[in-house]
Amino acid sequence: MAEPALDLQKPVGTEVKQTTCYMCACRCGINVHLQDGQIRYIEGNPEHPVNRGVLCAKGSAGIMQHYSPARLRSPMLRTGERGQNQFREIEWDEALALAAQWLGEARERDPDRLAFFTGRDQSQALTGWWAQQYGTINYAAHGGFCSVNMAAGGLYTLGGSFWEFGEPDWEHARYLMMWGVAEDHDSNPIKLGLGKLKGRGAKIVAVNPIRSGYGAIADEWIGIRPGTDGLFAFALIHELLKADRIDLDYLVRYTNAHWLVVRNPGGADDGLFVRDEEGRALCWNRRTGAPADAGAIDIEPAVVGEVALPDGRRAVPVFHLLAERYLDPQYAPDAVSERCGIPAQTIRRIARELAEAAFDQSFDLPVAWTDVHGRRHETMRARPVAMHAMRGISAHSNGFHTCRALHVLQLLLGAVDAPGSFRYQPPFPRPIPPANRPGKTRGADGKLDAPPLGFVHGPEDLLVDAQGQPRRIDHAYSWRYPLAVHGMLHTVIRNAWAADPKPVDVLFMFMANMSWNSAMNTAETMRWLTDKREDGEYRIPKIIYSDAYSSEMVAYADLVLPDTTYLERFDAISLLDRPISDADGASDAIRHPVFQPDRDVRGFQSVLLDLGARLGLPAMINEDGSPKFRDYADYILRHERAPGVGLLAGWRGENGEAQGKGAPNPQQLQRYIEHGGFWHAAIPESARYYKMGNRDYLQWSAGMGFIAKADPVVLQLYSETLQKFRLAAQGHGAVQPPEDERERVATYFDPLPIWYEPFEGAQVASQEFPLSALTQRPPFMYHAWGSQNAWLRQITARNYLYLHPDTAKRYDIADFDWVEVESHHGRIVVQAKTVGNVQPDTLWTWNAIGKRKGAWKLAKNAPESKQGFLLNHLISDITPRGDYANADPVTGQAAWFDLRVRIRKAEASDESAPQFGVLEGREADEAPLRYGANLRKSK
C-alpha cells in the first residue's frame, strides 16, 4: 500500500509571504506564515538557492526578533548626560531636521568632520555611496574588525576569498580542511555541504583551538594553538615541496609562478616583476633562452634558476623564491610542532593525505571547456582537496599573511576552482588587485572622486598628508595600515575622542554596538563617549545612532533614529555588496515588508536618503532641489552605479527581459516578490570551473557587468603590490613613509607570506600571561541580536569560561568555581566549567552573551547581565606597548584572538565582574514573554 503524499509546504496560517532572513549573515530565503496579521511560523524557502529550505534555530526564532520588547518605538533626543539613558521621544520631522542641521554644519565646515560608520549592516553599497556624495573620507563598515584579513588576503592573491564569497566543491571534494570556522557565517549552505561530504565518505579535518559545531562532526580535529595557523600551513607547504607533490602545470597556467622577479638588492627595482615596454610580465623561455611574454602559450617557461637579462640585470622566477623560502628547515614539521601544538608526525601525515587526495584520487570531469587562449579541453581535471576558512584565522595581527599562506597551499595543489576544490562564487574572480581605489579628493560639488573604500595598488593611493600622517579618523589607508579595504571601525571612537588626526563634529553610526560587545577596551570606550573638554562640551560633540533595538550603545547617543525590523522594510542583497551567489550561478535577493511597523520607526536606508536630499547631496536631488528618490525601494529600482548596472541584477530592462545589465525596470521589485524574493542565473556548464582562465566564464562575467573586460585573472603567489610598499620603506619612489614607519612597513610587507608571533604574545611575558583566551560564535545566536531573543535565550541565557580538564587541574579549578581572569589590560571574574573540546593552553567562551544591566529590555537580574560576561573587557584596542592599534599591520583588522591571560581561583560570587551602572529608563516587563497561544486558539 502506497504511503500517502505529505504536503510539507502546507500553510499554517492564512497567508504566506517570502522574503530574506536577517538573523545572521547567511541571508537564507524564508516563508513567513501569517495569521490575523501576526507571524504564525517561519520556515526555509525550499526554492531559494542559498538554503534550499534549510533553516536554523536563529532563522526560526525570527518571530521573537520581530516581536522583541527591545524594539525602539520612536525617535529620541537625549535629555540627560550621555550614558544615563535619558531621552524624550520626538517626531520624525524634528529628528530629521536636527540630524540634517548637524550634518549640514559639519559638511559646510569640512566634510571630513563627519565620521560615518556602519556595523552589521548589509547595505554598504548604499552607505558607501552616500558617504561619497557627502564627501567624507571617514566612512567604513564592520569588516575592519571582522573579516578584512580574509577579504584582502584573498583579493590580493586569488581575486576572490573565503568567507561568504567562495565555497568548497561540495559535490566532488574528497578531502576538506576547515580553518578557524565557527557556525555563524554561511551556516546553512555549509551544513548542507558537510552532509554531502559525510554521505560520500570524504574526510573532513577541522583546524581550530576549539571543537564545536562543524568541528564536532569532523573526522579529525586538530586543536591548534591560536595564531599559529600560518606556521602550520608553511610546514605543509614545506613537506609538499620536499616531496615534489605539487601541480607545476597548474601553477604556470594560472599563477605568476614563472614570472621573473628582479634581483637587485638595494635597487629601486628590486623585487619587481620584469616587464616589457608595454607593461607585460615576462618569463624565461627555456626553448629560446630569452625573456618572453609570460602570458603566451608557445613557451617553455623556467620556474627555477637565476637568469641574466639582456639589460644586465639578474632575475629569478617567483617559484624559485617560493621554494627557497619554504624549503628552509625553519618550516619543517619538527621545527614548528611545539609552537603550533601539533605533533610533527601529524603534520607530515596531513601533508601526505592532501597530496594523495589531490593527485592520487584525481579524476576528469567530462565537461568540455575553452581557455582564454581559445584552446578546447575535452575534460576538467579535478583536484579534490577543498579548503574553507573564516574568522578564526583572520582575527589575529598576523592574519593577512596567514590567509595568504592558505591560498599558496591551495595553489601548490592546483586546488583553486578545479573540480573538487575551493570554488569562486560570482562576481569573483576579479582583477588583482581590484580596480577601484579609495576616494581621496573632492570636486566643486563636495563629492569624493570615488567611494571612500577601495583597493590600494601602491603607496601613491594612500590617504596621508604631506608629512605621511593619516588623513582618516580611523587611520585606514595610512602607512600604519595600508590595505585597510574595509576601514577600521574599532579605532574610530578613541581617535575621535583624541581628535587624531583632527576633530570630528558628528559621529554617525548604524548597527554598531560600540559601547559593549563590538568594543575592544570596553570601559575606556564608554569613557571616551562621555568625556568632556574643559569648557564642559563633549569631546565628541554629536553622536547620531540608528538601530532597531535598545542596545547598550543607544544610551550614548544624542539623537536616536529607530530602524525597522527586517520584516518591515525593503533591503537589497546586492551583487555590489555582499553577494549570495553559489559557485554555479549568480544570485541576489530582496527583503520586502511583510507588514507595516506598529511603531513610529523608519528603515535606516530610507532615512539616509531623506537626509541626503535635505542636505542637497549631488545625486540625491533633482534639478529643482526636490528629493530624487522617494525611499529606499525607489532607490533600489532607479539608481545605476554605472550605465545599466544597479543594485539588483534580475529582471532589468524596461520589460524585465535583461539580467546583469540593463535599464531600470519599474516592475523589478514586483518580479522579485513574485519569484520568492530572489533572482538566480546559472553559469553555463562549460564555465563553472577554472573561472580565472575560462573564456566562457570571463565573457559571461563581463556580460553581467561583474568585470570590465574578459581578461584572464593571474593568481598572485608573489604580490608586487606588497613589494612596492617595501621598496618605499627602503627609500625608493616618490611616496615614502615617515622615518618611524619604515621598519614596520619593510618587515610586514613581504611579497611572499610570512609568519610572526602575534603582537600581544610577542609583547607580554609568556610566563606572566601563559594562556590564550578566545570567543566562539555560537551556532544558535548571532552576536547581541540573538542573545536578546526570547526563544534563543532558552538555549543559552548565560555563558561560562571553558577550560580543558588538565588546565583546570593545574590551577586547582573545579566546575562552577569562580575564577579571576586577567590580561595586561583588564580583569574579569566569571564562573568556569571544564570541557574536553579545547586546546589545553586556551580558554574560551561564547561570544556576545553578556549584557549590561538594563539593556535590550532584559530584566535587571537577567542571567545575561548578572552572570554573563564578555572577554572584551580584557582586550585592549592598542598593543601592550601602546604604539599601534591592536590590529594587523597590513590591513588594520582587529586582532580579537591575540588575547593572552592568566587565571586563578576567586572567591565565590553571585555575579560576574566588572559590572557597570544599570541603564535605567526603559523598564523591562518582568512577566514571562510568551507568543503564539492566541493564534493556536483562534485556529
Side-chain angles (χ1 to χ4, degrees):
M1 181 176 175
E3 292 289 334
L6 295 177
D7 184 359
L8 299 178
Q9 298 300 312
K10 184 177 180 180
V12 297
T14 56
E15 186 181 11
V16 178
K17 292 189 177 181
Q18 296 179 307
T19 185
T20 304
C21 187
Y22 201 176
M23 293 296 289
C24 76
C26 199
R27 294 157 292 165
C28 297
I30 53 174
N31 296 338
V32 182
H33 296 246
L34 303 174
Q35 181 178 320
D36 300 330
Q38 295 180 283
I39 308 173
R40 181 79 169 88
Y41 178 52
I42 296 178
E43 65 176 345
N45 178 357
E47 305 301 321
H48 199 279
V50 169
N51 58 314
R52 306 188 187 281
V54 173
L55 200 63
C56 66
K58 299 188 294 291
S60 299
I63 295 174
M64 301 310 285
Q65 201 77 1
H66 173 72
Y67 291 116
S68 169
R71 290 178 301 169
L72 297 172
R73 305 197 65 83
S74 65
M76 298 188 299
L77 184 64
R78 178 175 57 81
T79 57
E81 295 293 316
R82 273 195 204 151
Q84 292 182 348
N85 211 32
Q86 295 175 0
F87 296 92
R88 68 175 175 89
E89 295 187 350
I90 60 176
E91 299 296 324
W92 273 103
D93 284 346
E94 181 182 356
L96 292 170
L98 191 57
Q101 177 189 333
W102 294 352
L103 291 167
E105 290 169 351
R107 188 170 189 255
E108 185 174 350
R109 191 172 180 184
D110 176 0
D112 293 340
R113 295 183 81 96
L114 167 65
F116 179 34
F117 293 86
T118 67
R120 301 290 160 189
D121 174 29
Q122 293 178 7
S123 58
Q124 292 160 26
L126 166 68
T127 54
W129 174 83
W130 191 94
Q132 180 188 4
Q133 306 304 312
Y134 184 94
T136 182
I137 59 174
N138 291 320
Y139 163 82
H142 89 281
F145 63 50
C146 185
S147 60
V148 69
N149 274 336
M150 195 74 67
L155 288 166
Y156 280 85
T157 309
L158 304 181
S161 72
F162 292 124
W163 209 250
E164 300 146 14
F165 314 127
E167 65 182 85
D169 189 346
W170 303 113
E171 302 296 335
H172 301 108
R174 294 176 178 173
Y175 198 101
L176 171 68
M177 286 191 80
M178 297 186 295
W179 300 74
V181 179
E183 290 76 43
D184 53 346
H185 285 74
D186 213 31
S187 58
N188 287 328
I190 290 176
K191 283 182 273 191
L192 287 166
L194 290 174
K196 292 178 180 178
L197 295 185
K198 297 291 281 186
R200 289 205 322 274
K203 181 169 183 178
I204 301 172
V205 178
V207 182
N208 199 318
I210 303 159
R211 186 174 196 175
S212 66
Y214 308 143
I217 67 164
D219 298 286
E220 182 171 0
W221 170 51
I222 295 178
I224 195 168
R225 286 196 172 100
T228 65
D229 302 78
L231 204 53
F232 177 32
F234 290 151
L236 296 174
I237 290 169
H238 177 93
E239 288 295 289
L240 293 171
L241 289 169
K242 194 169 71 170
D244 196 22
R245 296 282 268 170
I246 57 175
D247 191 340
L248 269 178
D249 180 67
Y250 178 99
L251 292 173
V252 170
R253 192 183 296 260
Y254 300 114
T255 81
N256 63 359
H258 57 301
W259 290 14
L260 289 174
V261 178
V262 175
R263 265 194 169 169
N264 182 22
D269 59 352
D270 183 47
L272 298 180
F273 293 131
V274 179
R275 298 182 184 273
D276 64 16
E277 293 180 355
E278 297 179 11
R280 293 176 298 197
L282 300 180
C283 67
W284 189 260
N285 189 349
R286 292 183 299 166
R287 190 182 327 126
T288 62
D293 177 3
I297 60 174
D298 56 343
I299 54 173
E300 294 180 9
V303 294
V304 293
E306 186 175 81
V307 298
L309 301 173
D311 60 10
R313 295 182 297 171
R314 312 292 295 182
V316 293
V318 163
F319 184 80
H320 182 107
L321 296 173
L322 185 148
E324 260 185 349
R325 172 165 296 180
Y326 303 121
L327 281 172
D328 190 294
Q330 69 174 309
Y331 297 121
D334 290 306
V336 309
S337 173
E338 182 176 353
R339 182 64 189 92
C340 294
I342 306 171
Q345 61 266 31
T346 300
I347 298 174
R348 285 189 282 267
R349 174 176 54 78
I350 295 293
R352 287 196 305 272
E353 290 176 358
L354 288 171
E356 288 165 1
F359 304 120
D360 301 341
Q361 298 181 42
S362 183
F363 58 90
D364 289 315
L365 204 62
V367 178
W369 65 288
T370 303
D371 66 29
V372 290
H373 301 292
R375 296 175 298 190
R376 179 178 170 86
H377 305 262
E378 296 304 322
T379 61
M380 295 175 167
R381 172 51 60 98
R383 292 284 181 251
V385 169
M387 295 190 186
H388 193 61
M390 284 192 178
R391 193 165 177 255
I393 66 163
S394 187
H396 291 283
S397 53
N398 60 13
F400 172 79
H401 279 289
T402 293
C403 294
R404 291 246 306 139
L406 293 191
H407 295 319
V408 169
L409 175 59
Q410 293 171 282
L411 291 171
L412 291 178
L413 293 166
V416 171
D417 220 52
S421 72
F422 166 86
R423 302 182 67 192
Y424 295 109
Q425 297 172 344
F428 304 105
R430 285 187 162 148
I432 304 173
N436 51 304
R437 293 168 164 88
K440 296 177 69 173
T441 61
R442 285 184 285 268
D445 59 1
K447 173 184 170 183
L448 274 180
D449 58 338
L453 300 182
F455 297 89
V456 166
H457 290 222
E460 67 279 4
D461 295 329
L462 294 178
L463 272 77
V464 292
D465 64 18
Q467 290 72 46
Q469 298 303 313
R471 285 179 54 199
R472 285 176 50 113
I473 195 68
D474 60 354
H475 296 180
Y477 301 117
S478 71
W479 287 106
R480 298 174 188 176
Y481 319 100
L483 304 189
V485 300
H486 292 162
M488 296 174 60
L489 182 55
H490 52 293
T491 67
V492 170
I493 293 175
R494 173 191 280 273
N495 292 348
W497 167 80
D500 180 12
K502 61 184 181 180
V504 297
D505 291 343
V506 181
L507 178 59
F508 189 9
M509 293 189 294
F510 175 44
M511 292 178 65
N513 196 16
M514 295 305 297
S515 72
W516 197 247
N517 61 280
S518 291
M520 292 174 148
N521 202 350
T522 318
E524 280 289 276
T525 299
M526 289 186 272
R527 184 179 71 82
W528 296 328
L529 291 167
T530 56
D531 196 25
K532 293 184 177 181
R533 304 190 304 253
E534 290 184 0
D535 63 4
E537 295 298 318
Y538 286 110
R539 292 184 63 145
I540 303 175
K542 299 287 191 298
I543 299 177
I544 305 173
Y545 186 58
S546 181
D547 205 326
Y549 305 99
S550 53
S551 70
E552 286 86 355
M553 185 61 208
V554 169
Y556 295 90
D558 301 311
L559 177 63
V560 178
L561 305 177
D563 192 18
T564 63
T565 73
Y566 70 101
L567 296 174
E568 297 170 325
R569 67 160 178 253
F570 275 99
D571 271 333
I573 295 89
S574 172
L575 283 155
L576 300 179
D577 202 335
R578 297 177 68 179
I580 56 168
S581 303
D582 59 76
D584 291 330
S587 298
D588 61 18
I590 66 167
R591 296 187 185 94
H592 63 99
V594 173
F595 32 57
Q596 295 302 311
D598 59 356
R599 309 162 320 287
D600 193 15
V601 299
R602 298 183 185 181
F604 175 73
Q605 294 89 344
S606 292
V607 168
L608 201 60
L609 290 165
D610 186 321
L611 288 172
R614 290 170 187 254
L615 293 167
L617 300 187
M620 295 181 221
I621 55 172
N622 298 311
E623 290 185 4
D624 63 0
S626 61
K628 184 171 184 178
F629 302 106
R630 182 185 67 253
D631 54 19
Y632 187 46
D634 189 40
Y635 172 86
I636 293 171
L637 283 177
R638 297 198 292 117
H639 172 71
E640 292 182 278
R641 185 57 49 90
V645 177
L647 263 71
L648 295 174
W651 295 284
R652 300 196 66 82
E654 292 185 8
N655 299 311
E657 72 285 353
Q659 59 181 3
K661 295 173 67 174
N665 171 16
Q667 298 301 313
Q668 187 183 39
L669 291 177
Q670 187 58 37
R671 298 289 86 78
Y672 272 82
I673 292 170
E674 294 166 356
H675 197 261
F678 68 91
W679 163 84
H680 181 80
I683 300 170
E685 186 180 19
S686 63
R688 293 181 181 177
Y689 292 96
Y690 302 113
K691 295 183 181 75
M692 60 283 192
N694 185 314
R695 185 188 66 183
D696 291 351
Y697 177 78
L698 293 167
Q699 290 178 351
W700 181 86
S701 181
M704 284 285 185
F706 301 155
I707 55 177
K709 51 186 178 179
D711 288 343
V713 177
V714 180
L715 312 184
Q716 303 290 297
L717 291 164
Y718 178 102
S719 174
E720 189 178 54
T721 298
L722 298 182
Q723 180 62 13
K724 289 177 182 178
F725 280 92
R726 173 174 274 185
L727 288 172
Q730 293 170 352
H732 301 292
V735 182
Q736 296 179 21
E739 281 298 323
D740 58 353
E741 302 289 355
R742 288 181 186 270
E743 182 180 357
R744 176 178 165 97
V745 174
T747 299
Y748 299 113
F749 275 73
D750 196 303
L752 287 172
I754 57 174
W755 185 85
Y756 49 90
E757 191 69 40
F759 292 152
E760 183 159 330
Q763 294 180 17
V764 301
S766 59
Q767 66 272 19
E768 189 175 357
F769 298 100
L771 303 170
S772 293
L774 304 176
T775 57
Q776 186 86 344
R777 288 175 174 172
F780 44 85
M781 289 180 182
Y782 188 63
H783 301 290
W785 290 0
S787 52
Q788 57 102 13
N789 183 294
W791 287 354
L792 298 177
R793 291 180 68 212
Q794 294 179 56
I795 302 173
T796 292
R798 60 157 302 182
N799 54 331
Y800 294 88
L801 185 73
Y802 298 108
L803 63 164
H804 192 277
D806 293 347
T807 310
K809 184 177 180 181
R810 188 160 75 242
Y811 291 95
D812 190 28
I813 294 168
D815 276 348
F816 304 109
D817 277 350
W818 287 83
V819 297
E820 178 183 281
V821 188
E822 192 174 9
S823 70
H824 79 91
H825 168 74
R827 168 186 172 274
I828 61 175
V829 178
V830 299
Q831 212 166 1
K833 269 184 144 182
T834 57
V835 293
N837 69 336
V838 62
Q839 191 272 334
D841 298 323
T842 303
L843 314 174
W844 75 277
T845 192
W846 292 124
N847 180 52
I849 299 292
K851 295 283 185 288
R852 186 170 171 185
K853 289 182 178 178
W856 300 94
K857 268 295 187 78
L858 298 178
K860 290 179 183 177
N861 288 323
E864 290 86 350
S865 53
K866 190 170 183 180
Q867 290 91 20
F869 64 93
L870 301 176
L871 284 185
N872 303 53
H873 305 309
L874 300 175
I875 302 174
S876 174
D877 67 306
I878 56 176
T879 57
R881 291 177 187 163
D883 48 359
Y884 289 98
N886 184 11
D888 189 288
V890 179
T891 68
Q893 171 163 348
W896 295 100
F897 294 161
D898 284 359
L899 179 62
R900 303 285 296 180
V901 300
R902 59 188 173 214
I903 187 172
R904 70 175 183 86
K905 188 185 292 188
E907 294 293 325
S909 177
D910 64 351
E911 67 177 22
S912 60
Q915 291 286 340
F916 299 88
V918 178
L919 293 176
E920 306 281 1
R922 291 186 296 281
E923 297 298 325
D925 184 352
E926 299 290 343
L929 183 62
R930 297 187 175 94
Y931 180 79
N934 61 319
L935 296 173
R936 291 195 297 273
K937 289 176 183 176
S938 65
K939 186 169 185 286

